[in-house]
Every structure is written in structure tokens, then in C-alpha cells.
Amino acid sequence: YIANMKLPDLGIGGSMALWGFRASAAGQSQCCAIVSGYERAFENQSDDVLALMLDYARMLGNDGNRRIGLGCSGCGSLTADELSIVAVLASAQLDADAATIAHLTWLMGGRPKADQMELVKNLALHFLHAGLVIQLPEISLSDWSARPVKNVTIYQSGTA
């Protein structure tokens, strides 16, 4: 989990998206709390949004080439992959294709196809039309220069 970052730090839109994603990935997208929450947020579009969220989770889980780290439903802590899941939707809301592709490529372990891009754009637009702006989470890389290097052998060849 990411230290010093919790689910509410994602804002309402990002938290709502991740709540639905976690439930969908766990096979719980029809849980009465999820359905009720999405009905309040999306009104008559709630079934469509939950179906798209399930498709998003299935896309990463079935079509992706890497394992995605998720927190448990109801858990306030966040994983790095969850930040990327939200960043995909935030970038899609901003119509920032290059950023959307970059985040989705990381999550999937390969370049996304056109229909996969269309899915996340459609899902992101549903959130936007419901007034749920998904803010780009702050994602920072570790400072590798401050860590000791272990078990590295440097081979040098040639003459100087």
C-alpha cells in the first residue's frame, strides 16, 4: 500500500470509481450498497456505468499481461495499481490520449487496443456527465538514488 495516501485523497469521483472497480473485480458489482450508491450518483445510467466498470475490470484481469494489485473493498489504503486505474479514467476525462495510453499500457503490460481505449473513454464520460470529475492522482516515482545497490556486478571489457 502507498504510505500517507487514503481513498478519500482521490476525491469523490476517483473514490467512487475505485469503489466500483474493486467491487467489480471481486465479483460483487451487484452488492446492494454498490448498486444503491451508483443509482444515487448516476440515476438511470447506473446499470450502464456498472456494466462498463465490470468490463474495465475484466479487461485488465483477462486481457492484461500482468497481475494487478488491488486493496480489499472497503479498505481505505491504496495500491500503486489503483492509482493507475484512476489515472486512466482521469486522463480519459481530460481527453489526454497519450496519458491514457501510457497508464493503460502500464496496467495491461502492453499497448491497449482501440476498443479498450473506447471502453475507458466511455466510462470516464459517464462519470463526467454525472458531475463526478476524476482528478489525476499524484503519482511519484521512488527515489532510487537514495537506496543502496545490492548484488550488482559490473563487468568491464576492453582497454582504455
Side-chain angles (χ1 to χ4, degrees), residues 32-103:
C32 62
I34 299 290
V35 170
S36 176
Y38 269 63
E39 283 174 349
R40 283 194 304 271
F42 297 99
E43 298 174 348
N44 61 346
Q45 297 291 309
S46 64
D47 288 341
D48 293 339
V49 177
L50 281 171
L52 286 168
M53 190 63 76
L54 182 58
D55 288 345
Y56 184 30
R58 285 179 175 159
M59 178 185 80
L60 293 180
N62 296 331
D63 299 339
N65 295 316
R66 61 181 290 272
R67 194 172 196 101
I68 304 293
L70 293 178
C72 300
S73 293
C75 176
S77 298
L78 300 168
T79 69
D81 286 336
E82 289 174 331
L83 288 183
S84 292
I85 287 165
V86 172
V88 165
L89 297 173
S91 298
Q93 279 188 345
L94 294 170
D95 206 24
D97 286 346
T100 305
I101 289 169
H103 289 296

